[in-house]
Amino acid sequence: MNAEKKIHKTDFLVIGSGIAGLSFALKTAQHFKDSTITIITKNEKNECNTKYAQGGISTVWDKTVDSFEKHIEDTLIAGDGICDEEIVKMVVEDAPDRLQELIDWGTKFDKTKDGNYSLGREGGHSQDRILHHKDITGAEIERALIEQVEKKENITFLTYHYAIDLITEHQVKKLPIKRKEKITCFGAYVLDEKKSIVKTFSAKVTMLATGGNGQVYITTTNPVVATGDGIAMAYRAKAEISDVEFIQFHPTALFNPGEYPAFLISEAVRGEGAILRDYYGERFMKKYDDREELASRDIVARAIDNELKKSGTPHVYLDCTHLDYEAFKKHFPNITEKCMSLGIDVRKDYIPVSPAQHYICGGVNINKKAKTSLKNLYASGEVTRSGLHGANRLASNSLLEGLVFSHNACENLKKRFHKIKEPQNVPVWNDSGVVKNMEKILITHDRNEVKTIMSNYVGIVRSNERLLRAERRLRVLYEDNKRLYDHSELSTDLCELRNLITTAYLITQFSKNRKENRGGFYSADLIKKEL
Ligand SMILES: Cc1cc2nc3c(=O)[nH]c(=O)nc-3n(C[C@H](O)[C@H](O)[C@H](O)COP(=O)(O)OP(=O)(O)OC[C@H]3O[C@@H](n4cnc5c(N)ncnc54)[C@H](O)[C@@H]3O)c2cc1C
């Protein structure tokens, strides 16, 4: 591995090409016509959580039946008391404008026969308010955004470019820095995987839009790129992080052992009236919540987890047999086809489902302008803790979050970009003292170990003893990985492992510090105390 001696200068460095990164790049390119924007992404252009989103985006579209107040209330209820109300209000009220913009960029949402947008409903929503494109909304959004981005001459889009670390005073002044100090971000070190070289990108503004970290768990709906890189990079750069203990487990991933990532059976299916049944065919949600199948995700996921633990069975079922098949197939063609490919005919067969890690509610702290605690580092989307989700995200609010905060970042930069100076004295990557890593298998073993630790001890239901076990085991992994990282030639899988261990450790630490059960955090010890 060589470190390239040249510095790549760009005005805006965007890390990640999901909805948050692409919409930011597009807006910035439209406004700052004479500036250079570089998007780097670690895989194909569209490989990200956004691409897999099925249900859609929530917005108050039809004010004759819905209202901002209701959307705000639903979000606050899901967030279980710790949403930032001002942020929730801002996001909800901004949603129609951001959705209109997405439509203007060419995103196609489904319409009813009378030409109005077809609005779906998901768990936790009191109204039909989800704009969607069949059950492949995210793929449609990525298509439209990438098409627009490719038309912009001032955007350079680099695939298989992996951000290793953010550049701050730590590298520029070669000094250790403390978390509370004034720190500035000057860009990032980036591994060009195809050329096997580390490039240095210096940027006036860096946008962190690296998405989530589902890969810390064995069963997740997130694709393999979701390794928590942004949270770990920001943490190493001493940015403020919070709420990472709030992990959302989706109640209904298709139970199909050996399939990674787990295929999601969208919440919208329950919104259409699908019923949960235990392994033996009995309904059970009434025991847990009056809203039954439409209770928020944490409640439904815990209910299923409890049923599975009590019965020792591997999955429960989702029953769609009573629904209008033609309407179902039209709304959920992807799900219908997937089930059919496994011999599950939704007209007569129940769909086997179990919970899977789906979303991280916390992350890098941002304010309403999408600014992090580091100067000139903005962040947007799933990598952040914005205050919108609180302890639990309301379904279909996360694509929206990325749109709103990327917009706000651009609005803020319109006022201050001209004052930002070009970074000086940014050093190129130092690769002295490393040797080729011959034992790649160690990385695979360690990656599997992180997933096992997190799934066994830091899952849907946690406890003090489980968290202590996780902490001890993660420490050993951290030390082993540090040795490997310091002396080996860099590779994406080695860097990802480092980030997986860091985010796993952060989730564990934040869980240990949480003293009450809320939303996506649940400890068996705390419930005992409450009783
Ligand atoms: C199966 C599934 C269904 C979902 N359904 C919905 C839904 O219906 N509605 C909804 O609102 N939300 C849904 N979500 C959640 C939603 O998709 C995500 O929260 C949202 O897409 C996050 O967008 P993002 O731009 O922040 O991140 P992502 O879309 O995940 O993009 C992150 C980008 O960063 C890149 N990246 C990461 N690390 C690095 C690195 N080190 N260097 C370079 N590039 C890097 C990735 O390759 C990727 O391009 C769903 C999620 C999943 C997994």
Side-chain angles (χ1 to χ4, degrees):
M1 174 86 42
N2 292 317
E4 206 184 34
K5 298 298 170 224
K6 172 175 152 195
I7 306 265
H8 296 259
K9 289 186 180 173
T10 183
D11 291 316
F12 299 90
L13 177 66
V14 183
I15 309 177
S17 57
I19 193 167
L22 292 179
S23 61
F24 174 77
L26 201 49
K27 291 201 138 227
T28 314
Q30 272 166 358
H31 183 80
F32 299 97
K33 291 202 167 53
D34 298 326
S35 298
T36 51
I37 294 115
T38 306
I39 307 173
I40 59 158
T41 194
K42 68 175 173 178
N43 202 282
E44 294 293 332
K45 284 182 177 171
N46 70 348
E47 188 55 15
C48 54
N49 276 3
T50 302
K51 177 176 130 184
Y52 295 90
Q54 296 182 346
I57 311 195
S58 53
T59 180
V60 175
W61 200 256
D62 182 354
K63 287 211 183 108
T64 58
V65 288
D66 200 0
S67 67
F68 288 145
E69 288 70 28
K70 286 184 192 161
H71 190 181
I72 291 169
E73 198 188 338
D74 293 343
T75 305
L76 294 175
I77 291 172
D80 207 3
I82 60 163
C83 296
D84 181 331
E85 288 198 37
E86 199 193 323
I87 294 288
V88 173
K89 187 169 182 296
M90 178 200 76
V91 173
V92 165
E93 292 181 356
D94 198 30
D97 287 350
R98 299 286 71 77
L99 264 292
Q100 187 56 55
E101 208 161 44
L102 205 52
I103 292 166
D104 295 342
W105 283 330
T107 310
K108 303 221 172 348
F109 292 114
D110 291 351
K111 290 189 172 169
T112 56
K113 280 190 194 118
D114 54 13
N116 294 320
Y117 282 111
S118 151
L119 300 172
R121 186 178 306 199
E122 301 199 12
H125 286 274
S126 57
Q127 291 291 330
D128 297 349
R129 62 166 78 98
I130 319 285
L131 286 179
H132 55 88
H133 178 94
K134 303 190 179 74
D135 53 356
I136 48 167
T137 307
E140 168 61 10
I141 292 171
E142 282 288 298
R143 180 203 62 73
L145 289 178
I146 290 173
E147 216 171 280
Q148 291 298 324
V149 159
E150 283 174 342
K151 287 186 199 155
K152 296 281 170 219
E153 287 186 356
N154 52 346
I155 297 183
T156 306
F157 200 161
L158 302 171
T159 56
Y160 294 95
H161 275 62
Y162 179 91
I164 304 165
D165 261 318
L166 298 170
I167 303 171
T168 65
E169 281 83 357
H170 175 62
Q171 289 90 355
V172 172
K173 295 189 180 158
K174 301 195 171 40
L175 290 173
I177 46 172
K178 296 206 180 86
R179 206 157 289 281
K180 294 283 171 201
E181 277 174 38
K182 274 212 160 108
I183 304 166
T184 308
C185 179
F186 303 112
Y189 292 117
V190 177
L191 174 63
D192 177 340
E193 288 187 54
K194 296 268 159 85
K195 292 190 180 151
S196 272
I197 49 174
V198 178
K199 296 177 174 172
T200 304
F201 281 84
S202 100
K204 289 183 183 170
V205 172
T206 304
M207 165 54 86
L208 196 60
T210 47
N213 72 338
Q215 289 296 319
V216 293
Y217 289 94
I218 297 174
T219 309
T220 174
T221 59
N222 291 191
V224 288
V225 292
T227 50
D229 297 339
I231 295 176
M233 275 191 283
Y235 179 71
R236 283 193 294 274
K238 308 278 190 278
E240 284 169 19
I241 312 279
S242 52
D243 291 355
V244 288
E245 67 275 33
F246 298 120
I247 303 289
Q248 186 170 84
F249 290 84
H250 198 288
T252 56
L254 180 65
F255 178 78
N256 185 25
E259 179 173 2
Y260 304 110
F263 182 84
L264 187 69
I265 305 295
S266 167
E267 191 117 34
V269 174
R270 274 179 289 127
E272 292 290 317
I275 289 166
L276 281 164
R277 295 184 184 278
D278 68 14
Y279 198 71
Y280 307 100
E282 295 300 319
R283 290 189 73 167
F284 57 86
M285 273 312 297
K286 215 175 190 56
K287 286 186 280 180
Y288 298 93
D289 196 283
D290 288 345
R291 290 168 293 174
E292 301 186 42
E293 275 76 7
L294 288 180
S296 59
R297 280 183 185 168
D298 55 327
I299 293 170
V300 182
R302 255 196 323 275
I304 297 176
D305 187 63
N306 195 42
E307 291 294 316
L308 297 181
K309 284 190 174 133
K310 267 192 335 192
S311 62
T313 53
H315 59 77
V316 296
Y317 288 107
L318 196 61
D319 173 7
C320 308
T321 55
H322 54 291
L323 303 178
D324 175 344
Y325 180 66
E326 289 311 317
F328 186 91
K329 201 167 66 170
K330 188 155 180 268
H331 191 161
F332 307 112
N334 191 31
I335 293 173
T336 312
E337 199 181 305
K338 176 73 188 183
C339 288
M340 208 49 114
S341 76
L342 297 171
I344 304 161
D345 181 345
V346 297
R347 280 171 293 197
K348 52 188 177 57
D349 302 321
Y350 298 162
I351 307 171
V353 291
S354 62
Q357 189 285 350
H358 189 53
Y359 187 82
I360 179 160
C361 300
V364 183
N365 286 6
I366 54 169
N367 65 12
K368 65 157 100 160
K369 298 167 189 161
K371 286 166 116 175
T372 69
S373 58
L374 265 54
K375 201 169 166 201
N376 300 337
L377 178 70
Y378 289 73
S380 174
E382 192 168 340
V383 68
T384 67
R385 183 270 176 206
S386 68
L388 174 66
H389 307 306
N392 193 21
R393 172 188 71 126
L394 180 66
S396 287
N397 265 358
S398 45
L399 291 168
L400 176 62
E401 180 188 39
L403 278 181
V404 170
F405 284 92
S406 290
H407 168 81
N408 289 5
C410 188
E411 289 302 300
N412 178 256
L413 284 160
K414 285 180 188 172
K415 292 180 205 137
R416 63 176 292 266
F417 179 68
H418 64 281
K419 292 189 231 156
I420 304 176
K421 297 204 178 73
E422 199 167 282
Q424 302 294 320
N425 305 321
V426 171
V428 294
W429 178 257
N430 178 1
D431 61 351
S432 56
V434 299
V435 292
K436 203 166 182 65
N437 174 22
M438 303 306 285
E439 288 234 74
K440 284 250 173 195
I441 192 66
L442 293 180
I443 299 174
T444 313
H445 287 330
D446 285 357
R447 191 171 173 131
N448 290 338
E449 214 172 318
V450 179
K451 284 166 170 280
T452 307
I453 293 168
M454 292 303 283
S455 302
N456 287 347
Y457 305 128
V458 199
I460 297 179
V461 177
R462 301 169 204 171
S463 71
N464 296 341
E465 179 57 28
R466 287 180 199 198
L467 292 173
L468 274 177
R469 282 179 181 220
E471 186 186 24
R472 275 200 300 268
R473 285 157 172 76
L474 286 168
R475 273 216 186 111
V476 175
L477 276 178
Y478 173 81
E479 293 301 333
D480 288 348
N481 176 257
K482 189 167 179 335
R483 253 196 325 277
L484 208 58
Y485 184 86
D486 287 345
H487 301 292
S488 307
E489 194 179 82
L490 277 196
S491 62
T492 300
D493 51 359
L494 182 57
C495 294
E496 284 184 345
L497 174 61
R498 178 166 83 132
N499 294 334
L500 284 169
I501 294 171
T502 303
T503 46
Y505 195 75
L506 284 171
I507 296 169
T508 309
Q509 285 305 317
F510 274 79
S511 297
K512 276 181 69 191
N513 293 338
R514 172 115 336 243
K515 298 295 174 229
E516 54 180 5
N517 286 334
R518 272 182 195 271
F521 172 83
Y522 191 86
S523 164
D525 286 319
L526 292 173
I527 192 72
K528 272 182 218 144
K529 268 188 209 151
E530 280 163 19
L531 289 171

